[in-house]
């Protein structure tokens, strides 16, 4: 049986700060399509601490594996 597929097409690339981002995304499957157009895109300034694991989660992790010493060849 053929697997369903959907084409995702990113268009209208414009600079947002120092990154080129697509301001239009088109989803297409057979004869049906949907286009999403962004008038404006902003990048959020997120503190690094936002991505730190909570202490309760860190306590569940195994201890880190030490990196082997690498000798210069």
């Amino acid at each position: 049986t053929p697997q369903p597929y959907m084409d995702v097409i990113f268009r209208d690339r414009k600079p947002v700060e120092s990154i080129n981002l697509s301001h239009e995304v088109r989803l297409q499957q057979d004869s049906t399509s949907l286009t999403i157009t962004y008038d404006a895109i902003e990048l959020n300034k997120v503190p690094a601490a936002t991505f730190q694991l909570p202490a309760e989660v860190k306590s569940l992790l195994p201890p880190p594996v030490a990196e082997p010493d690498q000798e210069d060849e």
Side-chain angles (χ1 to χ4, degrees), residues 16-69:
V16 177
E17 295 185 21
S18 62
I19 304 170
N20 279 329
L21 296 175
S22 296
H23 283 65
E24 183 178 296
V25 180
R26 182 181 178 105
L27 308 172
Q28 189 167 342
Q29 184 175 28
D30 298 323
S31 62
T32 305
S33 69
L34 169 71
T35 301
I36 303 167
T37 303
Y38 299 95
D39 295 328
I41 298 175
E42 289 182 3
L43 300 180
N44 292 334
K45 304 293 185 216
V46 180
T50 303
F51 300 100
Q52 295 298 317
L53 294 175
E56 301 84 29
V57 175
K58 282 184 180 179
S59 69
L60 300 172
L61 295 173
V65 176
E67 293 284 326
D69 291 333

